[in-house]
């Protein structure tokens, strides 16, 4: 090309495509995720024979997912990567016949843990309650002072299965075999990722999880107001009654029925007339005091939206414990209830960008562990965005965008006695954001 030969060869020395992983290391130093998550595992191995600590194993999996390596097979190559070694503080193995980091077979022992006790080969097992408490602790630690009010978003989603995993059931709504994990978020902070079989009601177990989380929050912030928000799948008497008994407000979607639609007949007619006259969608709101014939123990405030879009009526209903004085009907629906869509974006980020949908191992408990590890990768990436990228053009970027722009940076790696140097490309277009994030995270880690 222009009198120059184009020559390619695999002789560039040690080169990594993941130099931006340094930011993940700084993020972990700021929030202490890997150490705290590693402390939630029970390790019954002989300490004198351990080559790869629990912290190393957990760090490999979480950093790997954040960097886009969803499979254990990827670690057959990554165990020799000096960038990963620098992140985890392990550039050399103790034994001459072992790589610095763990390969797929060793990492797989995390997932093949025994339910109780230990076997000859499976001596590492997770402490489930401790891991579930950790997500809430990380959220609490992220706040400099107790907020006056927090909103907890609940949602259930499908996690498709493509084999004969334990607990496999067909779900008619999603038209496939799947699990039905329960997610709870406070803003963008993940508080719960509970794996469930799909042959259950979408709200099954939600009251127990909320009771645990609210108790943990109030132990630290006794005066903070808590509001639950969810779609109609969580509008259940058990959950609403618990909220009313425990000073927790709620805002749930309410499935429509003939009684409810009949109650807003005049509003639907007025919206239809306005829509035809103006040639655009029209909506009206109405306050109701409603009680089911059998399932509810008391009347409750219901807000109805009577909407006409084109030639179709679109009535919607929500039930709430919030007062009309504090939240008028239109603002309650449009400003508060509809904002729950942000929770769905966070679930998509966890499942699509950070591989929470890769639940392909055989046992249910191993798939729960995979969901927790993917959740840890989400927490790590969210902390990078929240702390490191605040005020930059990537402050609202999703995990996959952050990975492509800041983490997947090519570098020549030189390991000497005194340092590990990563010589990154001078043409990287996001140098300013990288440097800003590194300094922000370093300041938070002090």
């Amino acid at each position: 090309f222009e009198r120059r030969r184009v020559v390619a060869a695999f002789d560039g020395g040690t080169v990594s495509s993941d130099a931006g992983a340094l930011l993940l290391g700084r993020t972990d130093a700021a929030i202490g995720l890997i150490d705290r998550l590693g402390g939630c595992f029970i390790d019954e191995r002989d300490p004198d024979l351990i080559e790869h600590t629990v912290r190393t194993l957990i760090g490999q999996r979480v950093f790997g997912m954040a960097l886009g390596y969803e499979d254990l097979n990827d670690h057959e190559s990554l165990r020799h990567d000096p960038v990963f070694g620098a992140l985890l503080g392990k550039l050399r193995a103790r034994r001459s016949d072992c790589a610095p980091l763990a390969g797929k077979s060793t990492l797989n022992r995390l997932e093949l843990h025994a339910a109780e006790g230990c076997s000859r080969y499976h001596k590492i097992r997770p402490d489930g309650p401790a891991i579930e408490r950790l997500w809430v602790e990380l959220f609490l630690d992220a706040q400099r002072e107790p907020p006056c009010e927090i909103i907890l978003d609940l949602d259930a989603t499908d996690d498709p299965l493509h084999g004969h995993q334990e607990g496999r059931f067909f779900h008619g709504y999603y038209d496939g075999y799947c699990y039905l994990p329960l997610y709870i978020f406070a803003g963008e902070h993940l508080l719960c990722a509970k794996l469930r079989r799909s042959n259950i009601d979408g709200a099954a177990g939600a009251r127990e999880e909320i009771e645990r989380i609210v108790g943990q929050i109030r132990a630290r912030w006794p005066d903070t107001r808590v509001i639950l928000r969810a779609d109609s799948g969580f509008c259940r008497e058990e959950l609403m009654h618990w909220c009313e008994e425990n000073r927790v407000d709620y805002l749930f979607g309410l499935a429509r029925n003939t009684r409810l639609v009949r109650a807003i007949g005049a509003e639907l007619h007025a919206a239809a007339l306005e829509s035809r006259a103006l040639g655009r969608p029209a909506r009206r709101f109405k306050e109701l005091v409603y009680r089911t014939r059998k399932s509810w123990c008391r009347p409750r405030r219901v807000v109805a939206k009577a909407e006409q879009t084109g030639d179709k009526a679109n009535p919607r209903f929500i039930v709430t414990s919030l007062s009309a004085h504090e939240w008028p009907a239109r603002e309650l629906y449009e400003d508060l209830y509809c904002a729950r869509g942000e929770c769905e974006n966070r679930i998509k980020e966890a499942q699509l960008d950070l591989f929470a949908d890769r639940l392909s191992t055989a046992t249910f408990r191993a798939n729960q562990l995979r969901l927790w590890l993917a959740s840890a990768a989400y927490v790590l990436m969210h902390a990078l965005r929240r702390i490191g990228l605040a005020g930059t053009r990537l402050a609202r970027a999703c995990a996959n965008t952050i990975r492509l722009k800041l983490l997947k940076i090519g570098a020549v790696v030189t390991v000497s006695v005194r340092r590990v140097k990563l010589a990154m490309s001078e043409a990287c277009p996001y140098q300013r954001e990288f440097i800003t994030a590194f300094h922000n995270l370093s300041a938070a880690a002090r």
Side-chain angles (χ1 to χ4, degrees):
F1 178 73
E2 295 182 349
R3 299 183 179 180
R4 294 178 176 86
R5 293 177 60 206
V6 179
V7 180
F10 291 97
D11 58 0
T14 304
V15 180
S16 174
S17 62
D18 300 314
L22 294 176
L23 292 181
L24 297 180
R26 287 286 83 192
T27 305
D28 177 54
I31 65 174
L33 174 64
I34 302 302
D35 283 333
R36 295 169 75 173
L37 183 57
C40 297
F41 284 74
I42 301 167
D43 187 357
E44 297 180 332
R45 297 176 295 173
D46 185 341
D48 295 330
L49 302 178
I50 293 176
E51 174 63 46
H52 307 296
T53 64
V54 170
R55 182 188 184 279
T56 299
L57 301 177
I58 298 300
Q60 280 189 248
R61 289 290 277 137
V62 174
F63 288 141
M65 288 180 175
L67 288 166
Y69 302 108
E70 70 270 30
D71 289 327
L72 290 177
N73 290 341
D74 297 322
H75 291 272
E76 285 297 286
S77 299
L78 294 174
R79 61 180 174 164
H80 301 287
D81 192 322
V83 174
F84 266 73
L87 281 178
L88 297 165
K90 194 165 185 285
L91 290 172
R92 291 185 177 84
R94 292 170 54 190
R95 293 160 37 189
S96 59
D97 60 340
C98 189
L101 301 178
K104 61 180 181 181
S105 299
T106 304
L107 288 169
N108 195 38
R109 293 183 183 180
L110 285 174
E111 299 178 358
L112 297 179
H113 60 275
E116 295 180 1
C118 60
S119 69
R120 180 179 178 183
Y121 298 106
H122 309 137
K123 297 186 177 182
I124 305 172
R125 65 182 188 276
D127 181 348
I131 294 175
E132 291 173 340
R133 289 192 299 270
L134 177 60
W135 310 134
V136 184
E137 290 171 3
L138 289 165
F139 163 63
L140 296 172
D141 292 344
Q143 316 302 316
R144 294 184 177 180
E145 56 185 30
C148 296
E149 175 184 291
I150 59 173
I151 299 174
L152 304 184
D153 287 304
L154 300 84
D155 207 352
T157 189
D158 66 315
D159 217 323
L161 301 178
H162 305 287
H164 293 276
Q165 286 91 338
E166 181 183 6
R168 174 179 182 265
F169 288 97
F170 186 87
H171 197 288
Y173 179 81
Y174 295 110
D175 194 27
Y177 289 91
C178 63
Y179 289 137
L180 194 67
L182 169 67
Y183 283 96
I184 301 176
F185 285 84
E188 294 186 359
H189 293 268
L190 185 145
L191 303 185
C192 174
K194 187 78 170 182
L195 193 63
R196 306 177 300 175
R197 293 167 172 81
S198 62
N199 62 334
I200 59 170
D201 179 68
R207 197 267 305 162
E208 291 81 1
E209 294 302 316
I210 286 297
E211 184 175 3
R212 173 183 62 81
I213 292 171
V214 170
Q216 197 172 346
I217 291 172
R218 283 183 170 166
R220 182 94 63 96
W221 301 337
D223 299 323
T224 295
R225 183 186 189 186
V226 179
I227 301 175
L228 302 191
R229 182 170 59 188
D231 62 20
S232 60
F234 292 87
C235 183
R236 301 292 183 266
E237 172 63 23
E238 178 188 16
L239 188 54
M240 291 189 290
H241 182 69
W242 182 89
C243 290
E244 291 159 353
E245 293 292 314
N246 291 275
R247 298 181 297 108
V248 174
D249 287 304
Y250 59 83
L251 175 61
F252 298 144
L254 176 62
R256 66 188 179 194
N257 56 45
T258 54
R259 282 179 60 201
L260 288 169
V261 174
R262 192 183 309 121
I264 61 169
E267 286 74 18
L268 285 170
H269 180 68
L273 293 177
E274 180 182 342
S275 178
R276 283 196 292 269
L278 300 179
R280 62 171 183 264
R283 58 175 54 173
R284 298 282 190 278
F285 288 90
K286 184 177 182 179
E287 294 272 358
L288 303 172
V289 177
Y290 177 76
R291 178 179 180 178
T292 62
R293 289 194 172 101
K294 295 181 179 179
S295 58
W296 290 8
C297 67
R298 48 166 292 190
R300 294 183 170 100
R301 180 193 178 198
V302 170
V303 169
K305 180 193 75 169
E307 184 177 46
Q308 184 76 20
T309 57
D311 59 347
K312 294 183 180 180
N314 182 33
R316 300 282 178 169
F317 304 89
I318 53 177
V319 58
T320 184
S321 63
L322 299 170
S323 68
H325 173 73
E326 182 181 14
W327 282 98
R330 179 179 289 271
E331 289 79 2
L332 180 74
Y333 185 90
E334 295 181 342
D335 298 336
L336 187 59
Y337 179 72
C338 290
R340 62 168 295 276
E342 183 62 22
C343 172
E344 297 179 358
N345 292 333
R346 303 284 71 80
I347 292 175
K348 290 178 182 177
E349 185 176 23
Q351 292 203 255
L352 302 181
D353 293 354
L354 297 165
F355 316 111
D357 62 344
R358 292 296 297 262
L359 308 185
S360 55
T361 191
T363 65
F364 187 83
R365 62 178 180 272
N367 283 316
Q368 172 65 85
L369 177 58
R370 285 195 174 188
L371 181 60
W372 282 331
L373 292 173
S375 299
Y378 170 86
V379 170
L380 189 69
M381 293 294 279
H382 171 242
L384 169 56
R385 178 171 55 214
R386 173 175 56 87
I387 302 171
L389 297 174
T392 72
R393 55 177 166 166
L394 296 177
R396 297 295 301 164
C398 68
N400 191 51
T401 299
I402 294 173
R403 179 189 297 143
L404 293 175
K405 305 296 186 184
L406 289 183
L407 305 185
K408 290 296 182 179
I409 300 176
V412 176
V413 184
T414 305
V415 181
S416 65
V417 175
R418 295 185 178 181
R419 64 179 183 174
V420 178
K421 180 182 178 182
L422 278 64
M424 294 182 280
S425 171
E426 295 180 356
C428 177
Y430 288 88
Q431 296 179 47
R432 180 177 299 177
E433 286 75 14
F434 187 98
I435 294 170
T436 298
F438 193 89
H439 288 310
N440 289 345
L441 293 164
S442 297
R446 295 194 185 110

